[in-house]
């Protein structure tokens, strides 16, 4: 079985197995609560809260939830 992983720098407000990320959906940024599993060299396993293909923003970006955005190609 394959695991869904994201960069650890995308995690915000991390506490135990709970964290938040900023996800880009339909041209808007939204804050999403997730449950995290294993963490390792720059990657974190996502157990709940995101689906494969969801776009998350890196921790270095600081837009507010609800802001408009579009992915870089």
């Amino acid at each position: 079985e394959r695991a869904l992983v994201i960069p650890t720098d995308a995690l915000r407000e991390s506490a135990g197995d709970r964290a938040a990320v900023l996800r880009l959906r339909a041209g808007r940024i939204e804050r999403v609560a997730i449950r995290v599993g294993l963490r390792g060299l720059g990657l974190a396993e996502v157990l709940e809260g995101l689906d494969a293909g969801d776009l998350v923003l890196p921790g270095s970006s600081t837009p507010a939830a609800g802001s408009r955005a579009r992915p870089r190609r």
Side-chain angles (χ1 to χ4, degrees):
E1 189 173 323
R2 293 185 177 189
L4 178 61
V5 295
I6 60 172
T8 54
D9 76 341
L11 298 175
R12 299 162 192 265
E13 303 171 24
S14 181
D17 70 343
R18 301 292 175 182
V21 295
L22 294 179
R23 172 175 63 190
L24 179 60
R25 178 174 280 174
R28 295 244 183 226
I29 296 169
E30 55 187 18
R31 183 184 176 281
V32 178
I34 63 170
R35 190 164 70 93
V36 181
L38 298 174
R39 296 181 199 207
L41 302 168
L43 295 175
E45 177 186 27
V46 177
L47 301 175
E48 294 175 3
L50 292 175
D51 294 316
D54 282 349
L55 299 176
V56 296
L57 280 67
S60 60
S61 61
T62 57
S67 300
R68 290 178 183 250
R70 61 181 173 180
R72 290 187 197 166
R73 300 207 189 267

